[in-house]
Amino acid sequence: MPGNSRAAGTHHSRPSSSEEPPDLEDQELLLAAAYVSDAQYNRNVPFETSPQAIRLYHFYNHWTMRAATYFFIWVNLALALFEEPAVFPLPFLVTSIAEVLCLTAFFGRLVHFAKVTPQKVFWKDTKNICVMVTIVLTLIDLVIYGSLEAVNIRGVRWSRALRPVFLINFPESRQIRRTFRSIRNTLPDILYVFLLFLFSMMIFSLMALKLFGDRDLRTVEGSPYFTNILDIAFELYVLVTTANSPDVMMPAYELNWWYSLYFITYIIINTYIFMSVFLAVIYNNYRKHLKNEIHTLAYLKHHKMTEAFNILKVKVGTEFVVKEARWRRLVKVVAPDVSSSHLELLLRISDEGQKGHVDKVNFLRLADLLNIRVVAINIKKHPLETWMPRVYQSSTSLLVQKMVQHRQVRWSQIFVWVYDVIILINAIFIALDEKDSLISYAEWLFLSLYIIEILLKLYTYEPSAYFGRKQFWNWFDTLIIIAALLATVANTTIQARKYNSQQVLDIVLILRILRLLRVIVSIQRFRVIVTTLINIGPTMLTFGGLVLVVYYAFAIIGMEVFHGKIHFLDPGSGSPDALVCGNPALKDSAFAQGRYCKNNFNDLASSLILLTELTVVNHFALLADGFALVTHQAAKLYFIGFHVVVVILIVNIFIAFILEAFFVAYSLEKSEVETAIEKKIQELGVGVQEEEVQDGGLIDNMDAKDSGFSADEGDNKKKDLKGLYFRIASKKYKTVDTLLQQMFESEIAPEGKDPSLKEILNFSPKKVNFDNSA
C-alpha cells in the first residue's frame, strides 16, 4: 500500500534485520503483530503507532480485558433481576453501587481505547459518543430516581432500556454491531414493501367497515363486530399472524358463507404473498449488505497484512522477504499458545522451498493460516499392545478390532447395524409400562449391551485418543451411557424403597429417554447435520445477542408501562381477585377466563417469557387485548411494534442468516488456504484423514514408520517431530468472519489488483480516518 509516514504503517526496506537496534526491532515486531492480529480477528480499529500506544493496544486486546468488559456488561444487564420490579429484590443502594461500578469499568475501557486511538478518530466514532452519552444519562437517571426514592416518590428508571447500548457499542461486539448495521441498511429496501402491506390492510379494513359495520353483529364475548376502523385494522393485522383465525371470521361467516371469501382473499394476499415477499426482500438485501461487509473485511485484512510485511521485510536478491527468525518471533507474539510442532508446520507451508525466508505471497496468508484449526495428533500404541502384545495381536483380537472399526472396514459394518437395531428395540421398551418385571429386566440387558460396546471401543482404540479433547461424539456417547446407568440404578433404588419424589422421578425418566440420542451417533447423516449446527453455533450466538438486545429493551419498557396492572393469584386461595387477575377491568374478558394471569410484566423473567410467547404469535391478540383493557387501547401499539421488529424483521433476517451459514458450513468445499495446508501435511507424510479419527481410531491403520517431518538432506536445523500427525478439523472455524468469508472468497481481488485504502473504506458503511494512525 502506498504511504510515506511511519505512522501509517509503511516501512522502507532494510539491508538486514540484524543491523537494527534490538529495541527498534522489538517495537517493529509488536507493530507487525498488531496488524496480523487485527487481520486474523477482522478488527478494524485505527491505533497510534508509537511504542507506548502499541503496547497499550496489545493489552487492550488481551483476553483478560475483553473478559472483564463482558463481565461488567452482563452484570449491568442482570441488575434488572434485582431492581424493582424484581425477581430477587435488593435495596436500591446495593443495585445503584453495582451499576456505578459497571459504569466506572465502561469509562475506564473507553479511556483505554482513547489512549491507543488518534483523538480525531476517537471523537468522530459514533460508538464512543453513544457509550459516553449513555453513561451520563444513566448517572443523571440514578441521581433523579434516588432523590425521589428518598422522599418516597416512585420514579421511572428509563435509563435501564439503554443498557444494551454497552453490549452493542464496545469493539468486542463487532458481530452484533455488524448485524445492526446490516439491518439498518436493509430497512429502506423493505420499507416500501411494508408501506404497500399497510395500504393493502387499510383497503381491506375499509371494506370490512362497509360490509359488516351496520349489520349489528357481535363477537363471542358480546362486543360489537367490526364497527371501529382502528379495531378492524388491529384485528386484520393479527389475522396476518393467523393468531385469531378463524375466530375473527366466524360472526361474518355465520351470517353468510360468502363472506368467508373476503377473509380467504385477505389471508392469501397479506399472509402468504406479502409475508413471503418480506422474507425474499429481507433475505436478498441482507445478503447483499452482508456481502459488502465481508468484502470490506477481506480487503482490510489484505491491507493490514501488507503493512505488517512492509514493516518486517528485507531484500534478498531481487525480492523482498521476511526472514525465518523474524517470522517465528512474529507468530509466537500473535499466537503465544501455538505449539512448536504447529509452528513448524506453518513454516513449512509458508517457506515451501526451505530457503530460510517467507515471500510476500505466503506471508499474506498468515492470518488465514492461523484461523484454520489444525489438530495435532500424537500417535501412541494401545496400552494393551505394550503390556500383552501377543494377546492383543492375536487373530481373535484383530477380528474384534476390525468389527469395531466399522468406518474403516466396509464389510464389517455389522457391528454398528446390530447396535442400531438394539437402540430401536430399546426405544420400544422405554415406551412400555416399566412396572412389568420383564421390562425392568430388559432395561439392565440394554444397559449391559451399551457398556459392552464402550468397552469394545476402548479395547480397540487407544483410550487417551478416544477421549481426546476434540472427540466430541465419543464423549457424547459415553456420557449418555453413564447417564443411562445412573438412571437405571436410581430407578431400581426408588422402586425398592417406594420413594415418590416427583422431581427425582422426572429426572430419572429424562435420563432414560436421553439414551435414545445415541441414534445420532450411530447414523452418519445425523452426525453431519448436528456437527454442522454446532459449527454455526457462533453465528447463532450473534443473533442471540441481537435478540437479547431487543428483548431486553422491550422488557424494560413493558415493566415501566404495565408493571402491577396484572397479578397472578392462586385460584385455590378463594380470593375473588384471582378470577380477574387482580384487576376488575379484566372481568369477563378472554384474558382472565383463559387464566393468562402469569403473563405479566411484573419482573424481568416474566417479561421475557411473555415476549417469547408473543414471538410465537399464538394468542397474540388475546394478550394485547388484556393489557389494553387494564391501561388504554393505545397499548396495542407496543405489541404491534414488538411484532414488526422481532417477528417480521429480526426473525426473517435470522432465517436468512442461518440458511446462508448452514449452506456454507454444510456444502462448501475447503478454502484455498485449507487445501494448501492439507497438501503440505500429506507431502510431509504426517497426515491423518478425518474419517480415520472419527471414532478415535488413530493408530490401527497407520503405518508404524517414524512420523516426524522428513527434512532435506542439507537441513539439519529442524528437529523431527516424533509420533506426531496432523489433520484439519472438519469445517470448524475459529471466528464467524472466517466462516462467512468462505461465501465470497472467489470474488476477492486477485494479487496485484488490490484496491487502495481509500477504495476499501468506500466499501464500508462507515468511513474511518487513517491519518496519523494505523
Side-chain angles (χ1 to χ4, degrees):
M1 297 290 172
N4 298 318
S5 66
R6 162 68 181 265
T10 305
H11 287 247
H12 299 289
S13 60
R14 299 171 298 278
S16 171
S17 62
S18 60
E19 297 176 8
E20 298 175 352
D23 290 343
L24 179 60
E25 187 175 349
D26 290 341
Q27 292 169 15
E28 291 181 339
L29 190 68
L30 284 175
L31 178 57
Y35 281 124
V36 175
S37 180
D38 280 2
Q40 180 186 359
Y41 294 104
N42 285 309
R43 288 191 291 259
N44 186 19
V45 179
F47 59 90
E48 294 279 10
T49 57
S50 64
Q52 181 183 7
I54 296 170
R55 287 183 172 82
L56 281 173
Y57 185 60
H58 277 281
F59 184 55
Y60 181 87
N61 290 319
H62 196 270
W63 71 268
T64 54
M65 297 298 293
R66 296 199 306 272
T69 303
Y70 276 122
F71 172 77
F72 284 108
I73 287 174
W74 290 113
V75 168
N76 191 45
L77 292 173
L79 286 176
L81 293 170
F82 307 97
E83 298 167 329
E84 290 296 334
V87 180
F88 312 105
L90 286 177
F92 171 72
L93 182 62
V94 175
T95 58
S96 59
I97 290 174
E99 186 161 15
V100 170
L101 287 175
C102 292
L103 296 178
T104 304
F106 299 150
F107 183 73
R109 185 68 168 166
L110 204 61
V111 170
H112 191 169
F113 187 69
K115 291 289 186 182
V116 302
T117 309
Q119 289 189 8
K120 189 176 179 181
V121 176
F122 179 84
W123 290 107
K124 284 187 175 182
D125 195 333
T126 311
K127 300 190 301 293
N128 303 328
I129 304 301
C130 285
V131 171
M132 285 188 289
V133 169
T134 305
I135 290 174
V136 172
L137 291 176
T138 303
L139 290 173
I140 293 173
D141 185 34
L142 274 173
V143 172
I144 295 174
Y145 186 84
S147 302
L148 293 174
E149 280 283 307
V151 294
N152 295 322
I153 298 176
R154 186 182 182 278
V156 176
R157 282 299 316 275
W158 49 266
S159 68
R160 297 193 299 172
L162 300 177
R163 285 173 180 168
V165 169
F166 299 116
L167 177 62
I168 298 170
N169 284 286
F170 275 111
E172 290 79 6
S173 303
R174 60 187 179 278
Q175 300 288 352
I176 298 176
R177 195 163 52 253
R178 181 190 305 153
T179 304
F180 268 104
R181 194 161 55 238
S182 296
I183 291 174
R184 182 192 65 198
N185 294 332
T186 305
L187 283 177
D189 300 303
I190 66 173
L191 179 61
Y192 293 104
V193 181
F194 187 70
L195 290 176
L196 189 59
F197 161 72
L198 290 180
F199 178 75
S200 169
M201 191 179 73
M202 291 308 300
I203 292 293
F204 274 92
S205 298
L206 289 172
M207 290 170 59
L209 182 64
K210 297 302 179 183
L211 285 172
F212 312 117
D214 297 328
R215 297 183 183 272
D216 196 27
L217 299 177
R218 297 277 170 176
T219 64
V220 122
E221 294 87 10
S223 305
Y225 179 74
F226 278 13
T227 57
N228 182 289
I229 186 67
L230 295 179
D231 289 338
I232 295 172
F234 177 74
E235 292 293 340
L236 291 183
Y237 180 84
V238 175
L239 182 57
V240 172
T241 70
T242 70
N244 59 352
S245 177
D247 299 354
V248 71
M249 180 180 74
M250 294 313 296
Y253 187 30
E254 289 172 356
L255 179 65
N256 192 321
W257 74 270
W258 280 99
Y259 289 131
S260 64
L261 297 179
Y262 164 86
F263 293 95
I264 292 171
T265 305
Y266 177 84
I267 289 173
I268 291 173
I269 293 175
N270 292 283
T271 301
Y272 293 110
I273 295 179
F274 267 109
M275 291 299 108
S276 300
V277 170
F278 264 119
L279 177 58
V281 171
I282 288 172
Y283 181 88
N284 181 62
N285 287 281
Y286 180 79
R287 190 183 188 281
K288 178 181 70 177
H289 294 298
L290 179 64
K291 176 180 176 180
N292 291 337
E293 291 272 358
I294 300 303
H295 276 188
T296 304
L297 289 176
Y299 288 130
L300 283 171
K301 177 191 290 188
H302 191 277
H303 171 76
K304 292 166 189 171
M305 291 304 299
T306 302
E307 292 296 317
F309 178 80
N310 290 336
I311 293 169
L312 302 176
K313 68 183 180 182
V314 295
K315 194 166 187 178
V316 175
T318 58
E319 65 174 343
F320 289 103
V321 298
V322 175
K323 289 289 189 180
E324 179 185 318
R326 298 198 88 184
W327 185 92
R328 286 176 178 273
R329 290 185 61 196
L330 174 69
V331 175
K332 291 300 290 184
V333 173
V334 175
D337 297 329
V338 67
S339 64
S340 57
S341 57
H342 190 181
L343 178 65
E344 186 72 19
L345 176 65
L346 296 179
L347 179 60
R348 292 297 184 94
I349 296 166
S350 301
D351 183 12
E352 295 180 358
Q354 300 295 290
K355 300 174 183 176
H357 58 253
V358 178
D359 60 24
K360 182 178 179 179
V361 173
N362 285 299
F363 183 88
L364 296 183
R365 296 194 303 178
L366 178 59
D368 291 321
L369 287 173
L370 293 173
N371 270 334
I372 301 299
R373 187 172 294 168
V374 178
V375 180
I377 305 168
N378 195 7
I379 307 303
K380 298 177 181 178
K381 285 186 176 182
H382 198 289
L384 293 177
E385 189 177 4
T386 304
W387 300 337
M388 49 180 95
R390 294 183 63 183
V391 174
Y392 194 75
Q393 293 295 336
S394 66
S395 57
T396 304
S397 175
L398 291 175
L399 179 61
V400 171
Q401 294 173 46
K402 285 184 178 180
M403 291 290 290
V404 175
Q405 289 172 342
H406 56 85
R407 300 195 189 280
Q408 284 74 37
V409 186
R410 293 182 180 274
W411 56 266
S412 44
Q413 290 188 355
I414 188 172
F415 180 81
V416 70
W417 290 343
V418 166
Y419 272 92
D420 286 347
V421 173
I422 290 173
I423 292 172
L424 292 176
I425 297 174
N426 189 192
I428 296 172
F429 272 74
I430 286 178
L432 298 176
D433 185 5
E434 64 180 31
K435 294 179 181 178
D436 190 307
S437 59
L438 177 63
I439 304 298
S440 179
Y441 292 137
E443 284 296 314
W444 284 104
L445 173 62
F446 287 120
L447 184 61
S448 302
L449 291 173
Y450 294 144
I451 293 174
I452 290 172
E453 180 192 16
I454 295 295
L455 292 176
L456 286 174
K457 288 184 177 180
L458 288 175
Y459 177 82
T460 302
Y461 304 124
E462 200 275 320
S464 63
Y466 185 80
F467 290 117
R469 194 162 58 93
K470 305 293 183 182
Q471 298 298 322
F472 168 79
W473 289 110
N474 295 340
W475 280 102
F476 177 84
D477 199 17
T478 305
L479 290 175
I480 288 295
I481 298 304
I482 293 174
L485 176 61
L486 293 175
T488 306
V489 171
N491 192 40
T492 303
T493 305
I494 288 171
Q495 289 179 353
R497 299 189 178 185
K498 301 188 184 310
Y499 188 68
N500 57 2
S501 170
Q502 188 58 47
Q503 285 142 344
V504 174
L505 291 172
D506 289 343
I507 293 172
V508 169
L509 180 62
I510 290 171
L511 288 176
R512 288 181 61 209
I513 294 173
L514 284 177
R515 188 188 315 171
L516 302 181
L517 292 177
R518 297 189 70 251
V519 74
I520 298 175
V521 182
S522 300
I523 300 176
Q524 177 64 17
R525 272 297 172 188
F526 286 179
R527 291 169 57 142
V528 170
I529 294 172
V530 173
T531 302
T532 303
L533 291 173
I534 293 171
N535 292 342
I536 66 174
T539 64
M540 292 184 182
L541 289 177
T542 296
F543 268 90
L546 172 65
V547 171
L548 172 66
V549 166
V550 177
Y551 265 49
Y552 192 91
F554 272 96
I556 295 296
I557 295 171
M559 285 193 293
E560 296 295 349
V561 176
F562 303 115
H563 165 61
K565 303 294 183 184
I566 294 174
H567 293 281
F568 171 76
L569 302 172
D570 188 357
S573 64
S575 171
D577 288 340
L579 301 177
V580 293
C581 301
N583 195 317
L586 292 173
K587 185 178 180 180
D588 297 328
S589 68
F591 189 97
Q593 291 173 357
R595 299 178 62 182
Y596 289 99
C597 306
K598 272 211 167 183
N599 294 306
N600 55 57
F601 287 95
N602 293 344
D603 55 63
L604 183 63
S606 298
S607 302
L608 293 176
I609 292 171
L610 177 54
L611 292 178
T612 304
E613 294 172 355
L614 292 173
T615 304
V616 177
V617 181
N618 194 26
H619 291 308
F620 175 90
L622 187 149
L623 294 172
D625 284 335
F627 284 94
L629 287 173
V630 298
T631 52
H632 189 274
Q633 290 300 309
K636 293 178 179 178
L637 294 175
Y638 170 88
F639 295 91
I640 292 174
F642 177 82
H643 182 267
V644 171
V645 172
V646 175
V647 180
I648 292 182
L649 186 61
I650 292 180
V651 169
N652 278 326
I653 289 181
F654 177 76
I655 292 171
F657 190 86
I658 294 304
L659 282 174
E660 202 67 48
F662 188 86
F663 290 154
V664 171
Y666 188 74
S667 61
L668 271 187
E669 298 297 327
K670 290 185 172 67
S671 67
E672 293 179 7
V673 178
E674 287 179 294
T675 304
I677 295 177
E678 208 165 51
K679 181 180 177 182
K680 180 57 65 175
I681 289 174
Q682 298 303 326
E683 286 178 359
L684 295 170
V686 290
V688 177
Q689 298 300 322
E690 175 72 15
E691 58 269 16
E692 292 175 338
V693 293
Q694 198 70 268
D695 293 311
L698 303 177
I699 64 171
D700 299 278
N701 17 345
M702 306 295 273
D703 193 26
K705 66 180 181 181
D706 176 21
S707 57
F709 288 163
S710 56
D712 295 335
E713 291 182 2
D715 187 3
N716 296 321
K717 294 184 291 182
K718 314 275 193 311
K719 291 184 179 180
D720 284 345
L721 304 177
K722 303 287 185 182
L724 207 60
Y725 286 79
F726 298 91
R727 68 178 176 88
I728 293 179
S730 177
K731 296 180 182 177
K732 295 181 176 67
Y733 305 91
K734 285 187 178 179
T735 66
V736 178
D737 296 326
T738 308
L739 173 63
L740 294 177
Q741 193 172 324
Q742 301 294 303
M743 289 185 274
F744 312 110
E745 185 177 45
S746 61
E747 300 176 42
I748 304 302
E751 181 67 20
K753 297 183 180 180
D754 307 301
S756 65
L757 180 58
K758 183 177 180 180
E759 292 172 328
I760 291 173
L761 296 178
N762 285 335
F763 289 130
S764 179
K766 178 181 175 185
K767 308 293 189 294
V768 181
N769 188 346
F770 272 68
D771 295 339
N772 300 321
S773 65

